[in-house]
C-alpha cells in the first residue's frame, strides 16, 4: 500500500534519514520503532509530504507521491498525527474533529454529526463541547487520532499516540487502534511503548541513526542483536548473551 | 440561527432610524460607526478568522477609492457601476499581495510588514501618477442625485453603508457556519495540523485576503461618495489601516459582532475626548494607543469576550 524507496534527508551535516526503504502492506498494523533521535518522525514527515527527501521516492497506492503537498496526500487517503499533539486550541473538541470530517463533507451539519460519531469511536464523546486546550495529554492524543480518523483515511500514520499515557490509558487506547484497523484502515505507528508494539503490530521496522536496521515480527525483531545494540549500546547483545549463559550455567 | 436573527433585527432597527431621527449629527455618527464597522469586518475576516494580521489594509481601501473616483472623474462612469468595479480592483490587489506573501510562507510580523510596505508603495505611486491626480487628489463631480450614488440628506448614505455592513455581517456569519470558515480558522490555529487534515492552507488564505480586500475596497468606494474627495494620504495612509484593525481588536477578534462593538466603543470614546479636550491634534491617536494597550493587556478577547465571560458567570 505504501512504499518508500531509498529515501534520505539531511539537516545540515546530520543524515536524519539515510537510504531507508520500507513497505506497509494493506490491512496491517505495522510499527516503526527505534531509539530517540533515530529519525522516525522525520521519516513520517517525508511519507506525509511535510518534508521533501533529498533522494529516494515514496509511492502510495501505486501512485508516486514524493514531494506532493501534505493536503494532497491527505486527499489521496494518507493522514498523519503529530508526536506533539497540535490541537486547534481555541476550538471545541467537536469543531476540531469536524475539520477532518469536512474533507469529504461540504455541509457543516453533516460534518458536525460525523465528528460526533468519530468521537464515540475514540472515547471523546463526553468532552465534545470542551475547548481543546482543556484536554489532558491523553485527551489530546485521542483528539489527534480522532481528527485524522475523521478524514476517512485508507492509511493512518500515528506518531507516538501512546507516549505519555499511563498504563491504564495505554490499555484503553490499544483496542481503539485495533478497531480502526478492523474497520479497514491500514495503520503505520511509531511507538516506544514496546508492550503495545508487541500486542498490536504484525510487522515492525527498526530505525537507528536514520537507517533501517531490521524488520520482521515484533517478537523476533526485539531479539535481533543489532536491535538490542541500537537500544542499549555497542556490545550490549554480547554482554546479554554471556550473562544469559552464565545464568544458565 | 440566533446570531442571524440578531443581525437582521439590528440592521432592521438601524434602517428605521431615519424615520425618527432627523439630526444630521446623529445620522452622521451612525454612518461613521457603520463605516468603521465595515472596515473592521473586512480586516477581521483575514486577521480574526484567518490569523493573518495585516498592517496595510489601506492598500485595498485606497485601491477601491481610487478605482471608483478615477472612473467617475476621467470617464464619467455612473458611480453605482463604479462600486462593483472598485470591489473587483481591491480584490485583485488582495490576490496579488496574498499570492506573493503566502506563496513564500510569510507569517506573523513578516506578513504585517509586507502589507504595510504595499500600502506605502501605493501611496507613493498615487502621489506621483497623473491618473490619480497626484498629491492634489481627485474631486468627484457633484451630482446630488440618488441615481449617481450621491444623496441630498444623510439617510441615503445610511442605507448604503448599512447594506454594505449587512454584507459584512452575513460574510462573518457564513464563516462561522461553513466548511470554508472551518478551514480558515483551522489554518489560523495550526497550519500544519490543517494541512495534515487535507486543508490547502495557501488557497484558503488567498481566498480570505481576496474577500477581505474586496470588502475593504467597498469601504473605499463608499468613502469617496460620502466625502467626494480622495487623496493619497487619505486613501493609502496608515490611518485607514489602523482604523480597520482597531475595531475588531477592541470588540473581539474573529467574532461576528466584534467589529461593530469595537467601532461603537471607539466612536463613543472619540466623541467623549473631543468634547472634553477639543480638537487638539494627536490627542485622539494617543487615546487610541492607550485603549489598545489596555485592551490587549486586560481584555485580550475584546469587549465581546468580556460579555461572554460575564454571561458564563451569571447563574
Ligand atoms: N527540522 C530539523 N532540523 C534539524 N534537525 C532536525 C530536524 N528535525 C529533526 N532533526 C534531527 O533529526 C534527528 C531525527 O529526529 P526525529 O525527530 O526524526 O527522531 P525520532 O526518531 O522521531 O525521535 P523521538 O523518538 O525522540 O521522537 C534528530 O537528531 C533531530 O535532532
Ligand atoms: Mg519522533
Amino acid at each position: 500500500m505504501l512504499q518508500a524507496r531509498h529515501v534520505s534527508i539531511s539537516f545540515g551535516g546530520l543524515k536524519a534519514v539515510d537510504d531507508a526503504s520500507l513497505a506497509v502492506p494493506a490491512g496491517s498494523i505495522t510499527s516503526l520503532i527505534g531509539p530517540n533521535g533515530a529519525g522516525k518522525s522525520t521519516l513520517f514527515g517525508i511519507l506525509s509530504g511535510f518534508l521533501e527527501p533529498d533522494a529516494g521516492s515514496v509511492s502510495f497506492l501505486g501512485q508516486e507521491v514524493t514531494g506532493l503537498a501534505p493536503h494532497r496526500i491527505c486527499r489521496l487517503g494518507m493522514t498523519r498525527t503529530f508526536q506533539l499533539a497540535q490541537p486547534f486550541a481555541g476550538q471545541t473538541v467537536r469543531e476540531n474533529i469536524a475539520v477532518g470530517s469536512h474533507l469529504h463533507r461540504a455541509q457543516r451539519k453533516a460534518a458536525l454529526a460525523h465528528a460526533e460519531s468519530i468521537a464515540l469511536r475514540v472515547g471523546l464523546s463526553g468532552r465534545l463541547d470542551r475547548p481543546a486546550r482543556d484536554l489532558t495529554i491523553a485527551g489530546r492524543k485521542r483528539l489527534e487520532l480522532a481528527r485524522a480518523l475523521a478524514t476517512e483515511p485508507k492509511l493512518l500514520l500515528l506518531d507516538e499516540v501512546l507516549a505519555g499515557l499511563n498504563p491504564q490509558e495505554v490499555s484503553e487506547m490499544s483496542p481503539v487502534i485495533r478497531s480502526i484497523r478492523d474497520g479497514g484502515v491500514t495503520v503505520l505507528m511509531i511507538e516506544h511503548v514496546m508492550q503495545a508494539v508487541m500486542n498490536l503490530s504484525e510487522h515492525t521496522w527498526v530505525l537507528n541513526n536514520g537507517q533501517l536496521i531490521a524488520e520482521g515480527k515484533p517478537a523476533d525483531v526485539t531479539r535481533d542483536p543489532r536491535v538490542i545494540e541500537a537500544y542499549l549500546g555497542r556490545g550490549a547483545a554480547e554482554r546479554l548473551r554471556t550473562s544469559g549463559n552464565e545464568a544458565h550455567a | 440561527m440566533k446570531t442571524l436573527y440578531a443581525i437582521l433585527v439590528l440592521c432592521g432597527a438601524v434602517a428605521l432610524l431615519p424615520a425618527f431621527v432627523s439630526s444630521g449629527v446623529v445620522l452622521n455618527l451612525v454612518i461613521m460607526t457603520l463605516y468603521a464597522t465595515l472596515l473592521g469586518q473586512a480586516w477581521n475576516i483575514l486577521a480574526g478568522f484567518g490569523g493573518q494580521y495585516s498592517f496595510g489594509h489601506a492598500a485595498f481601501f485606497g485601491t477601491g477609492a481610487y478605482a471608483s473616483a478615477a472612473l467617475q472623474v476621467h470617464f464619467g462612469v455612473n458611480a453605482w457601476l463604479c462600486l462593483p468595479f472598485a470591489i473587483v480592483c481591491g480584490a485583485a490587489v488582495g490576490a496579488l499581495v496574498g499570492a506573493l506573501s503566502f506563496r513564500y510562507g510569510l507569517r506573523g510580523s513578516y506578513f504585517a510588514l509586507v502589507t504595510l510596505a504595499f500600502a506605502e508603495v501605493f501611496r507613493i505611486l498615487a502621489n506621483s501618477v497623473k491618473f490619480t491626480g497626484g498629491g492634489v487628489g481627485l474631486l468627484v463631480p457633484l451630482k446630488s442625485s440618488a441615481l449617481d450614488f450621491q444623496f441630498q440628506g444623510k439617510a441615503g448614505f445610511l442605507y448604503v453603508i448599512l447594506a454594505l455592513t449587512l454584507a459584512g455581517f452575513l460574510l462573518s456569519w457564513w464563516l462561522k457556519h461553513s466548511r470554508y470558515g472551518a478551514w480558515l480558522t483551522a489554518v489560523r490555529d495550526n497550519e500544519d495540523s490543517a494541512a495534515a487534515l487535507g486543508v490547502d492552507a495557501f488557497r484558503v488564505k488567498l481566498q480570505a485576503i481576496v474577500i477581505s480586500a474586496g470588502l475593504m475596497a467597498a469601504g473605499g468606494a463608499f468613502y469617496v461618495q460620502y466625502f467626494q474627495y480622495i487623496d493619497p494620504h487619505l486613501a493609502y495612509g496608515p490611518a485607514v489601516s489602523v482604523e480597520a484593525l482597531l475595531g475588531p481588536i477592541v470588540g473581539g477578534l474573529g467574532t461576528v459582532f466584534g467589529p461593530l462593538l469595537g467601532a461603537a466603543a471607539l466612536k463613543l470614546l472619540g466623541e467623549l475626548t473631543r468634547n472634553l479636550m477639543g480638537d487638539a491634534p494627536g490627542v485622539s491617536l494617543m487615546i487610541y494607543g492607550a485603549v489598545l494597550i489596555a485592551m490587549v493587556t486586560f481584555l485580550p478577547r475584546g469587549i465581546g469576550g468580556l460579555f461572554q465571560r460575564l454571561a458564563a458567570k451569571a447563574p
Side-chain angles (χ1 to χ4, degrees):
Chain A
M1 169 169 250
L2 176 72
Q3 209 137 29
R5 294 186 198 82
H6 306 292
V7 291
S8 300
I9 193 169
S10 316
F11 299 116
L14 177 85
K15 275 217 151 187
V17 175
D18 187 3
D19 198 29
S21 298
L22 132 168
V24 177
S28 67
I29 298 182
T30 301
S31 54
L32 176 62
I33 64 172
N36 288 112
K40 305 179 295 293
S41 297
T42 307
L43 182 55
F44 258 33
I46 294 171
L47 298 176
S48 55
F50 281 89
L51 296 167
E52 200 167 338
D54 302 331
S57 69
V58 181
S59 68
F60 174 59
L61 296 171
Q63 191 179 341
E64 171 86 22
V65 296
T66 328
L68 220 56
H71 71 268
R72 306 275 304 272
I73 292 181
C74 175
R75 287 172 188 190
L76 290 175
M78 181 191 337
T79 308
R80 73 170 295 182
T81 67
F82 291 92
Q83 182 171 352
L84 256 179
Q86 319 245 4
F88 305 125
Q91 306 184 36
T92 64
V93 167
R94 190 196 311 266
E95 287 167 340
N96 265 265
I97 304 175
V99 174
S101 305
H102 267 309
L103 185 63
H104 296 298
R105 281 168 195 77
Q107 294 306 316
R108 189 73 184 141
K109 254 203 179 129
L112 290 172
H114 182 252
E116 237 169 87
S117 72
I118 295 286
L120 193 66
R121 279 177 70 184
V122 303
L124 276 175
S125 289
R127 285 167 277 183
L128 274 165
D129 294 312
R130 294 263 196 87
R133 72 162 71 83
D134 289 357
L135 293 180
T136 58
I137 301 258
R140 282 174 191 225
K141 299 268 176 179
R142 279 177 203 262
L143 179 58
E144 196 74 15
L145 182 63
R147 281 193 318 199
L149 203 55
T151 64
E152 300 178 329
K154 300 186 180 81
L155 172 62
L156 199 50
L157 307 183
L158 304 178
D159 195 344
E160 300 199 19
V161 281
L162 301 178
L165 306 193
N166 64 38
Q168 193 205 330
E169 291 164 338
V170 169
S171 62
E172 282 169 9
M173 268 303 246
S174 297
V176 172
I177 295 172
R178 199 174 288 119
S179 79
I180 289 170
R181 194 270 312 272
D182 294 343
V185 182
T186 307
V187 175
L188 173 63
M189 53 191 292
I190 294 178
E191 204 45 71
H192 275 303
V193 182
M194 283 314 278
Q195 189 209 343
V197 171
M198 301 284 213
N199 279 340
L200 285 171
S201 65
E202 291 107 35
H203 197 90
T204 192
W205 298 80
V206 187
L207 199 63
N208 185 37
N209 285 329
Q211 294 176 320
L212 283 167
I213 54 166
E215 62 157 313
K217 286 207 175 73
D220 297 339
V221 162
T222 46
R223 258 183 264 131
D224 189 318
R226 282 171 302 177
V227 176
I228 296 170
E229 296 208 348
Y231 274 94
L232 300 177
R234 188 171 286 276
E238 181 70 23
R239 284 198 302 278
L240 273 181
R241 200 165 51 237
T242 48
S243 69
N245 287 344
E246 277 158 20
H248 276 294
Chain B
M1 268 307 152
K2 257 189 335 201
T3 315
L4 200 56
Y5 291 137
I7 292 170
L8 294 177
V9 168
L10 192 81
C11 290
V14 176
L16 291 177
L17 211 58
F20 301 103
V21 181
S22 55
S23 152
V25 177
V26 173
L27 289 183
N28 179 57
L29 193 65
V30 174
I31 289 171
M32 290 318 287
T33 305
L34 290 177
Y35 161 78
T37 303
L38 176 68
L39 303 191
Q41 285 169 332
W43 188 83
N44 191 41
I45 289 173
L46 183 62
F49 288 97
Q52 313 301 313
Y53 293 83
S54 151
F55 277 6
H57 255 49
F60 318 131
F61 175 91
T63 301
Y66 271 118
S68 174
L71 270 197
Q72 293 177 59
V73 172
H74 299 311
F75 304 104
V77 177
N78 179 283
W80 286 111
L81 296 178
C82 292
L83 178 62
F85 178 73
I87 292 174
V88 170
C89 288
V93 170
L96 174 78
V97 174
L100 285 174
S101 19
F102 299 143
R103 180 52 81 202
Y104 293 103
L106 296 185
R107 297 186 200 182
S109 43
Y110 294 100
F111 175 71
L113 284 176
V114 164
T115 53
L116 181 63
F118 265 101
E120 280 300 287
V121 168
F122 278 117
R123 188 176 63 80
I124 293 161
L125 278 178
N127 233 324
S128 43
V129 176
K130 257 226 176 91
F131 187 69
T132 54
V136 182
L138 290 176
L139 210 61
V140 174
L142 190 68
K143 299 235 170 85
S144 292
S145 144
L147 292 176
D148 290 297
F149 194 165
Q150 291 180 21
F151 303 95
Q152 297 286 0
K154 302 274 183 211
F157 286 108
L158 181 90
Y159 288 127
V160 173
I161 193 67
L162 181 62
L164 290 174
T165 336
L166 177 62
F169 270 125
L170 294 179
L171 270 172
S172 314
W173 181 84
W174 170 72
L175 288 177
K176 287 272 187 205
H177 296 87
S178 65
R179 164 157 83 174
Y180 176 71
W183 280 347
L184 184 61
T185 44
V187 166
R188 172 193 70 193
D189 288 349
N190 195 310
E191 205 168 315
D192 280 346
S193 279
L197 299 176
V199 180
D200 185 346
F202 172 72
R203 193 191 158 115
V204 163
K205 287 192 283 187
L206 191 62
Q207 287 165 334
I209 198 173
V210 165
I211 298 171
S212 172
L215 206 56
M216 194 74 188
F222 175 83
Y223 181 95
V224 163
Q225 292 314 116
Y226 195 53
F227 295 103
Q228 300 195 326
Y229 172 72
I230 194 75
D231 71 21
H233 192 74
L234 292 171
Y236 289 119
V240 176
S241 299
V242 170
E243 177 151 28
L245 64 83
L246 215 49
I249 290 179
V250 169
L253 271 175
T255 62
V256 173
F257 291 108
L260 173 69
L261 287 175
L266 288 167
K267 273 282 166 303
L268 223 63
L269 189 74
E271 290 303 306
L272 273 178
T273 50
R274 232 188 14 186
N275 284 341
L276 291 178
M277 297 181 224
D279 255 334
V283 169
S284 66
L285 273 181
M286 273 171 54
I287 301 268
Y288 277 2
V291 167
L292 198 58
I293 292 169
M295 289 306 296
V296 173
T297 314
F298 300 112
L299 285 180
R301 285 167 59 221
I303 301 174
L306 178 70
F307 284 163
Q308 269 175 11
R309 251 193 330 206
L310 292 179
K313 269 195 196 137

